[in-house]
Amino acid sequence: MPSPIAELENGTWLERNERARAAEIKELPWVTNGVDNAEREAVELLIATARWYPATFHALLQKPWLKDNITDAETDAIYGIRWTERYNPELAEAMLQKSWVQDDITADEGTVLEFLFWITWYEDEPAPQMLETAVQILNMSFLDSVTSADASAVRSLDRLEDISAADFLEVMSHPTLNDGITDEEAKIVALLGGTYSYRPESVAILLRGTGVYLEERVVELPRSGEVLLAIIRIRDQKTASMDFLERSVRAIEEFMGETFPVGYVALFFDDAVFPESGGTNFGTHFAAQLIYDVENSYAWDYTPLVIAHEVAHYYWHGSSRNWIDEGAAELLASISEHSRIETPIEPTNNPCASVKSIAELEALKPEDLGVKGFNCNYWLGEAFFLDLYRTLSDHTFRQGFRSLYLKSQHEDPTDDCEGTDLSICHVAAAFKTSVSVEVAERVDEIISRWYGPIP
């Protein structure tokens, strides 16, 4: 039987030159029977760590979570520690000493370790100030243990540093943060990176502390357990928005049939959103224009839809095919509203005259589309998924929709599609697998109607 690491990067070198270390990897229970697609990255990271940083490798092998099946979170942890060791050994050592690194690694803990490395990394090489600041962040009290809000805060700081290193360092020197981020402050820090993207002036307001109001609610979801919902406002009021938020999270998790992707769902009512957009999901939180939090305003009737659309983006995001993300989010928003007040599940966007098909839309560069043209992603994506939803049975549609989402999380070796960046190939595979010939033909008809011939 061939070695499970021989074909992997650095694997052959390790077996020839450091047999003892190679053997330690091969003896891991989840490696002994070979390395599948989901385990490959973790093993390659361990091999590289064993080759270049033996002390760090042996420290990792002492962690009990490395002995059983490897998870995505644990792969993120190995990634963060392996690359941090190369550029910031002091930070890597501090990571390994954290109490929460000794037992099982949660998704939030893996996120912290990965994104602390990215804060260290600046313009293709580490910068001394970034190295020092990353160590300081890890030693702050909010990372004595790790919650979803804490993980969002670290991601937010990385986003801010990526936009502007100077402003990142200025924010970290602010009196509110300079003496260390607390658990409560982390909930607000989570908003900074996304807010800076479209409304930098709001960052100063958030850091000031006064005049910022936090409404919270802990909910128990059937699949995810406890999830913290938060609404952050710059005015002292409460509306029905929190009820809309909870209803959307519940309805969308139920329809997706998969654990809600985050444990901290923060809604910031502020005009820090993509131009001409009602709301924007930044991953760390989502923002909605102020007018959507004014009861009985001209926009109030649309507030539940705006909230549900952005909640849906916790599942559907990051694809270079924006019509998939936006179309899926629009459909889920309608389904959420249907579960709340039984409104019909029907189109919510005006037809797009700029392009005739999704294939034509994909062929255009963003700069050729402009902001108004980008809205074609909403119309065509919604129309495509709505057509599938109306044509297929509820069970068949949910099965395909969930399968498509899972393909965005892990590469599926059973289809002929490349990677996890969703395309029409993934869509066809998701909705045509494990269905009858008749159903597959219906899916082909819908693809032909809205997309055109598959490349």
Side-chain angles (χ1 to χ4, degrees):
M1 181 177 178
S3 164
I5 70 171
E7 302 300 321
L8 303 181
E9 186 176 357
N10 287 310
T12 301
W13 184 95
L14 197 69
E15 288 194 314
R16 288 176 179 172
N17 298 280
E18 298 292 347
R19 294 181 181 178
R21 291 179 217 159
E24 288 182 283
I25 295 174
K26 290 188 290 184
E27 289 167 5
L28 290 169
W30 51 277
V31 179
T32 53
N33 294 326
V35 178
D36 64 26
N37 205 47
E39 297 162 341
R40 184 184 183 95
E41 182 183 1
V43 177
E44 288 182 337
L45 289 165
L46 285 174
I47 292 170
T49 308
R51 177 176 182 178
W52 303 110
Y53 316 108
T56 301
F57 171 70
H58 287 299
L60 277 170
L61 284 189
Q62 302 308 308
K63 309 304 179 189
W65 48 266
L66 207 56
K67 306 297 185 183
D68 52 18
N69 293 334
I70 202 74
T71 66
D72 290 345
E74 290 160 357
T75 299
D76 291 342
I78 300 168
Y79 178 94
I81 292 169
R82 177 261 188 270
W83 284 106
T84 299
E85 178 62 43
R86 178 176 180 181
Y87 299 105
N88 195 346
E90 180 186 354
L91 178 60
E93 176 63 22
M95 288 174 169
L96 287 164
Q97 296 305 315
K98 278 292 182 180
S99 61
W100 42 267
V101 176
Q102 312 314 314
D103 51 19
D104 291 341
I105 299 293
T106 67
D108 294 322
E109 291 164 352
T111 294
V112 168
L113 295 173
E114 178 183 357
F115 280 86
L116 277 173
F117 160 70
W118 286 115
I119 288 174
T120 292
W121 188 251
Y122 171 64
E123 291 189 354
D124 298 331
E125 62 181 28
Q129 277 187 294
M130 299 304 173
L131 301 179
E132 181 181 342
T133 302
V135 173
Q136 292 171 351
I137 292 170
L138 183 62
N139 289 329
M140 290 178 179
S141 64
F142 82 109
L143 293 181
D144 287 345
S145 59
V146 177
T147 67
S148 290
D150 301 332
S152 293
V154 174
R155 289 181 61 195
S156 178
L157 291 173
D158 171 66
R159 184 187 183 101
L160 179 59
E161 184 270 336
D162 191 51
I163 297 170
S164 170
D167 288 335
F168 164 75
L169 292 172
E170 183 178 347
V171 165
M172 292 308 302
S173 68
H174 190 280
T176 300
L177 307 184
N178 191 42
D179 60 349
I181 300 169
T182 66
D183 287 331
E184 284 303 304
E185 289 167 343
K187 298 170 185 176
I188 302 300
V189 172
L191 313 181
L192 300 184
T195 300
Y196 183 90
S197 302
Y198 296 112
R199 193 173 172 84
E201 59 269 28
S202 289
V203 170
I205 296 171
L206 289 169
L207 289 175
R208 187 176 62 198
T210 57
V212 177
Y213 305 92
L214 182 66
E215 180 185 358
E216 294 181 313
R217 181 181 294 178
V218 176
V219 298
E220 184 82 18
L221 299 183
R223 293 181 177 273
S224 308
E226 280 193 2
V227 172
L228 175 61
L229 309 182
I231 294 181
I232 298 92
R233 298 179 172 93
I234 56 174
R235 48 192 170 194
D236 188 8
Q237 66 175 37
K238 288 187 179 180
T239 67
S241 295
M242 179 61 85
D243 294 329
F244 298 153
L245 179 58
E246 178 179 351
R247 187 62 188 240
S248 296
V249 169
R250 290 188 180 280
I252 289 170
E253 188 208 50
E254 189 279 328
F255 191 87
M256 289 299 303
E258 287 290 319
T259 301
F260 201 82
V262 299
Y264 178 57
V265 182
L267 163 56
F268 181 31
F269 279 111
D270 183 82
D271 296 338
V273 298
F274 184 80
E276 298 189 31
S277 173
T280 303
N281 190 311
F282 297 98
T284 53
H285 73 288
F286 70 95
Q289 290 188 28
L290 285 166
I291 192 62
Y292 291 109
D293 197 36
V294 180
E295 291 188 346
N296 301 317
S297 70
Y298 70 88
W300 182 247
D301 286 345
Y302 299 99
T303 298
L305 276 170
V306 170
I307 289 175
H309 177 97
E310 301 307 332
V311 166
H313 275 314
Y314 282 108
Y315 287 97
W316 299 95
H317 65 275
S319 173
S320 63
R321 280 76 173 182
N322 291 305
W323 66 270
I324 294 179
D325 291 341
E326 300 302 345
E330 286 291 81
L331 177 64
L332 284 172
S334 293
I335 288 169
S336 175
E337 273 298 85
H338 177 74
S339 74
R340 187 177 72 90
I341 54 174
E342 297 185 353
T343 53
I345 299 174
E346 57 187 13
T348 58
N349 290 274
N350 292 321
C352 167
S354 301
V355 292
K356 296 178 181 178
S357 69
I358 294 172
E360 185 179 335
L361 177 65
E362 286 186 346
L364 294 175
K365 297 178 180 179
E367 55 267 30
D368 296 331
L369 275 173
V371 174
K372 291 184 182 296
F374 182 84
N375 291 334
C376 293
N377 289 291
Y378 294 78
W379 155 246
L380 286 169
E382 178 187 48
F384 177 83
F385 283 115
L386 186 59
D387 201 352
L388 283 171
Y389 178 77
R390 288 172 168 173
T391 302
L392 307 180
S393 69
D394 181 74
H395 171 76
T396 301
F397 179 83
R398 289 197 193 203
Q399 175 181 277
F401 201 57
R402 177 174 175 268
S403 174
L404 182 61
Y405 167 69
L406 293 176
K407 289 177 187 292
S408 75
Q409 304 303 297
H410 299 284
E411 187 166 5
D412 186 349
T414 66
D415 63 30
D416 295 323
C417 310
E418 184 177 348
T420 57
D421 188 9
L422 298 181
S423 66
I424 192 63
C425 174
H426 296 89
V427 174
F431 283 95
K432 292 174 64 176
T433 299
S434 301
V435 298
S436 67
V437 173
E438 181 183 6
V439 169
E441 289 175 348
R442 291 178 184 174
V443 172
D444 283 337
E445 290 173 4
I446 293 169
I447 290 175
S448 178
R449 181 180 305 133
W450 295 105
Y451 186 90
I454 298 179

